[in-house]
Structure formats: structure tokens, C-alpha cells
Amino acid sequence: MIARILLELGPWSWWVLGLVLLAAELVLPGVFLVWIGFAALATGSLSLLLWDTAFWVWEIQVVVFALHSVFAVLIGRRFVSSSVESDEPLLNKRGESLVGRTAVLEQPIAEGRGRVRLDDTTWSVEGPDLPVGTRVRIVASSGRNLTVERA
């Protein structure tokens, strides 16, 4: 049945698939099917040009569609990821989210290294030598280490 439909539609079958995928993108969440839909439309464009040639068999068409899909998704992800800004930019950057907070030294900073407790976690800190109990402000984060100064 599908083979008969593909034969009847000819090169337009890729256009139909592309439009169905673009329509499905409107219903489903995310931005993924749009790139596959564009790949189907690109394959459909090639099919319009190459339909009567001997080498444009369905196996070649599927390979071309797969290659178009990979390239479309890679280009699309780069395009979309560069234009989307998060409403919580520090969500997975715990150390950076601590910048600006103040804490009390749990261990003295000696030779540039010490420890503070923030919430339920102790953090390694770097900064000027200070005694235990000194109030410090976090000014920077680098991995698991925080840089502090006297508050």
C-alpha cells in the first residue's frame, strides 16, 4: 500500500512527508521535527530534479534524506541554542550562584586556603589569610573553589 502511494505521488511524496513533519511540530513540544521536515523538503526538491534518472532509486533517496536530516539537525541546534536565553542562567552553576553571598569562615584561611559553610555544604575558599569566624564575601567561583574577601 505504501509503495503504491509512493509510486503514485512520485517525487511529491517527500514534500508530503515534509509538510506532515512540519505540521506535527506544531502539535508536539520541542523544536526537532521541523529540521527533519526541512530535510524531507530538501530531498523532495532533489527528487523533482532527479526523478527520471536511473540512479535515483528509493535506497538512494533514503540515504540522501538521512544525510539531509543529520545536517539539518546539527545546523538547527546551533541556530536555536545560540538564540535561546534561560530564565534561570545559574540553574546548574551552583558555585557561580553563590557569588555575592556572605559566610563565616569555618576554618581559617592560611596560605591562601580555607573553608566556609554555606547552607548544607562546606566549600574550599581562596583569599587573604583570615582567622576563623571572620565574615567573608564570595567574589568569584572557579569549579569547586570560591574566592573570598573580607566582608
Side-chain angles (χ1 to χ4, degrees):
M1 179 173 135
I2 294 175
R4 187 174 60 106
I5 292 172
L6 289 176
L7 286 175
E8 288 178 11
L9 288 176
W12 295 102
S13 59
W14 288 107
W15 284 85
V16 170
L17 175 64
L19 294 175
V20 166
L21 289 169
L22 291 175
E25 182 66 43
L26 296 173
V27 178
L28 300 172
V31 182
F32 185 75
L33 291 178
V34 68
W35 311 120
I36 307 269
F38 286 149
L41 294 176
T43 305
S45 297
L46 277 176
S47 288
L48 287 174
L49 295 172
L50 303 172
W51 191 257
D52 293 329
T53 60
F55 72 89
W56 194 248
V57 293
W58 71 269
E59 293 92 347
I60 298 294
Q61 292 178 39
V62 170
V63 169
V64 168
F65 171 66
L67 291 173
H68 279 148
S69 296
V70 169
F71 289 125
V73 168
L74 291 175
I75 291 169
R77 285 180 57 98
R78 178 169 292 189
F79 174 72
V80 170
S81 67
S82 67
S83 65
V84 174
E85 289 191 26
S86 173
D87 58 341
E88 294 190 37
L90 299 176
L91 181 64
N92 291 321
K93 299 176 182 176
R94 187 169 181 202
E96 291 177 28
S97 69
L98 299 174
V99 173
R101 289 189 56 185
T102 58
V104 177
L105 284 176
E106 192 171 85
Q107 293 178 1
I109 299 178
E111 297 179 11
R113 313 247 334 136
R115 294 189 77 73
V116 296
R117 176 174 291 280
L118 285 165
D119 301 327
D120 61 346
T121 306
T122 57
W123 291 82
S124 295
V125 294
E126 300 171 347
D129 290 353
L130 297 169
V132 172
T134 304
R135 190 156 201 77
V136 293
R137 176 177 293 108
I138 300 162
V139 293
S141 169
S142 173
R144 296 186 315 176
N145 293 324
L146 302 174
T147 304
V148 296
E149 64 182 20
R150 185 184 295 266

